[in-house]
Amino acid sequence: FWRGKAKRYYHSQIPPKKQQGPVTVVVGKTFDDIVLDSEKDVLIELYAPWCGHCKSLEPKYKELAEKLAGEDGITIAKMDATANDVPSTYNVRGFPTIYYAPK
C-alpha cells in the first residue's frame, strides 16, 4: 500500500464486454472512467433491480437515451447500486437516485 502498488477494492459486478442498448451500463470498477469522464456530460441512474419506481422509470429513461444517442458529449447511464459500490459523493437515500455529472 505505501509503495502505491495496492489496487483500490470495489464491490463491483463484472463490466459488460460490450454495451448493448442506448443506456450505458456502469459498474463499480468503471464508475470513474464513465461517470467522471471530463469529455462528457453524464446522467447516471442509481437503481435497485427490485424497485418498482425504477422499473416504471426504465422505459422513459431508455427513450431519453435513444433521443440523445446521436449527441456527442452526453452519456445516459445506469448502475445497480445494490451490487456495486457507489462513491460516497453520490449519496443514495432511495431508489432511483439520479445525478447529473457535468464535464
Side-chain angles (χ1 to χ4, degrees):
F1 176 76
W2 297 110
R3 294 183 185 157
K5 293 184 179 182
K7 292 185 179 182
R8 181 176 167 192
Y9 172 79
Y10 294 94
H11 178 71
S12 178
Q13 293 175 300
I14 297 170
K17 291 182 182 182
K18 182 181 177 191
Q19 294 291 340
Q20 296 185 2
V23 179
T24 300
V25 176
V26 177
V27 298
K29 290 181 180 178
T30 63
F31 190 93
D32 288 352
D33 292 337
I34 295 172
V35 178
L36 304 180
D37 183 347
S38 63
E39 301 292 318
K40 295 190 176 194
D41 292 316
V42 179
L43 190 67
I44 178 80
E45 175 198 8
L46 304 169
Y47 73 95
W50 45 260
C51 170
H53 298 293
C54 300
K55 291 176 184 178
S56 297
L57 176 64
E58 187 173 4
K60 290 293 183 188
Y61 200 67
K62 183 178 178 182
E63 181 181 335
L64 173 66
E66 288 169 349
K67 287 185 179 184
L68 295 174
E71 296 290 326
D72 290 334
I74 188 159
T75 299
I76 306 300
K78 67 179 182 177
M79 182 172 86
D80 180 349
T82 66
N84 297 281
D85 281 343
V86 178
S88 60
T89 53
Y90 291 81
N91 189 7
V92 178
R93 291 187 176 174
F95 298 112
T97 297
I98 299 174
Y99 278 100
Y100 171 67
K103 295 177 191 173

